Amino acid sequence: MTKLKQFIMIVATTIIMTGCDFINNAFKYSDTTKEFVNSLIKEDYNKCFDLMAMDHETAKNTNRDTLKIGLANFRKLIVDNWGTELDYSFMKSEKRFSAVEADNTPANTTTVFVEFHNKKDFGVFQVLFDDNSQKLLYIKPLDVKASIPTMTYFWLFGVVALCVPVFNIYVIRQIKKSDLNKKWIKYIAVTFLNVPAITYAAVNGLSFQFLSFQILFGISFGYLGFLNSYWTFGIPLGGIYWFWKLRRRKQEVPIIQNDVPNELANENSDPAKE
């Protein structure tokens, strides 16, 4: 048992440390992407070369003059579509592991997605980084160019979505105070039975998923760039059901009547007979 505990502790520590390194690298890669694109826009190609993994085995035989022409074409694409004044925001980083070899992220690499925008439109860069040198292997814009959405409706929908977990927590507290048996089953029903789901995405607007369960008290949320900003809440069927059941139980509690007969009570309360 002691060896098992030690093994579990080692595995847990390794996972936590690896996760921390992954997160730290992801934000560093985002900053490097920003520095690379800004240098590219300024036509500082030597700086771009410094930020690229030129010593990686896949790039060792790359001709710099040819690469410079490719970077110039890439710069023209960005400037023609989004201009030279850009802001950036980190979206996500990932390492894919799949049974299909083509879907795997190459060994010792990380894919990072960075959103960029001017005053009107936004796009997304997909960037592959070499984890050993922490430099770029390639960068490309995804097929995304959309107008920056207004976030007013997004935050208003968020207020509505937050009402669901508040309601579910209230119902759970009422179940806890009640005299119901097997309360843990009711807690599970309230926590997990939030379906169907309604989503509002900043870019795509409203959508409806009939069989999507929201298990975190009925809500999920994302705020990683315009493209990945969304609120989702599930209809709290479990909470509504047990709220209704508890209300019915209160209404069915019998009223305790006075043991004094009605005739005697009326006789004693009649002032004319005194």
Side-chain angles (χ1 to χ4, degrees):
M1 183 61 71
T2 303
K3 291 183 178 181
L4 178 61
K5 289 181 179 179
Q6 290 176 346
F7 175 76
I8 294 172
M9 287 295 295
I10 292 171
V11 172
T13 303
T14 303
I15 292 173
I16 291 171
M17 293 181 66
T18 303
C20 291
D21 289 340
F22 180 73
I23 293 171
N24 288 334
N25 287 343
F27 285 105
K28 183 177 180 180
Y29 293 161
S30 177
D31 292 337
T32 302
T33 301
K34 177 181 177 180
E35 184 179 2
F36 177 87
V37 176
N38 285 339
S39 299
L40 182 68
I41 290 174
K42 295 174 183 177
E43 299 183 87
D44 187 353
Y45 298 114
N46 289 328
K47 180 64 175 177
C48 291
F49 291 150
D50 291 340
L51 295 172
M52 298 181 73
M54 302 299 293
D55 295 331
H56 193 271
E57 59 182 34
T58 61
K60 283 182 178 179
N61 298 323
T62 302
N63 183 282
R64 291 206 171 201
D65 291 332
T66 303
L67 180 58
K68 185 175 180 179
I69 294 172
L71 290 175
N73 291 333
F74 183 41
R75 177 190 179 278
K76 186 176 187 303
L77 174 67
I78 296 171
V79 172
D80 288 350
N81 284 277
W82 289 279
T84 59
E85 299 295 327
L86 301 178
D87 292 317
Y88 308 85
S89 59
F90 171 77
M91 292 179 66
K92 65 176 181 177
S93 62
E94 64 182 24
K95 289 178 176 288
R96 288 189 178 181
F97 302 95
S98 172
V100 181
E101 187 174 351
D103 294 337
N104 285 326
T105 304
N108 299 316
T109 64
T110 301
T111 303
V112 176
F113 296 86
V114 177
E115 191 175 87
F116 62 97
H117 63 89
N118 54 25
K119 299 297 183 183
K120 295 175 57 180
D121 303 311
F122 74 91
V124 178
F125 290 127
Q126 180 181 342
V127 194
L128 184 67
F129 277 88
D130 172 33
D131 290 331
N132 294 324
S133 64
Q134 297 190 330
K135 294 183 178 182
L136 288 88
L137 281 169
Y138 78 76
I139 179 172
K140 68 177 182 179
L142 298 184
D143 188 19
V144 175
K145 184 183 179 182
S147 298
I148 294 175
T150 177
M151 300 300 285
T152 303
Y153 299 123
F154 173 80
W155 293 115
L156 288 175
F157 188 86
V159 174
V160 177
L162 287 172
C163 292
V164 174
V166 170
F167 172 73
N168 280 338
I169 292 171
Y170 169 77
V171 174
I172 287 175
R173 287 177 60 85
Q174 295 304 305
I175 293 172
K176 183 178 180 181
K177 294 177 182 178
S178 71
D179 59 352
L180 292 171
N181 296 322
K182 296 183 179 179
K183 294 181 181 180
W184 63 273
I185 297 178
K186 284 75 173 176
Y187 296 153
I188 292 175
V190 174
T191 303
F192 288 88
L193 193 57
N194 299 282
V195 65
I198 301 172
T199 297
Y200 184 87
V203 175
N204 297 320
L206 281 171
S207 61
F208 181 83
Q209 301 89 39
F210 185 72
L211 292 177
S212 177
F213 288 79
Q214 300 301 307
I215 61 174
L216 187 60
F217 290 102
I219 192 172
S220 58
F221 167 73
Y223 190 60
L224 294 172
F226 298 115
L227 194 62
N228 281 355
S229 292
Y230 68 91
W231 289 95
T232 298
F233 71 86
I235 306 300
L237 297 183
I240 292 172
Y241 174 79
W242 284 109
F243 177 77
W244 171 73
K245 287 286 287 185
L246 290 170
R247 291 294 298 268
R248 280 197 62 183
R249 284 172 63 87
K250 288 182 179 180
Q251 293 173 359
E252 291 173 357
V253 173
I255 300 174
I256 301 176
Q257 296 183 350
N258 198 321
D259 292 335
V260 180
N262 291 336
E263 295 82 3
L264 182 59
N266 292 335
E267 185 175 303
N268 291 336
S269 62
D270 189 354
K273 296 184 179 181
E274 293 182 356

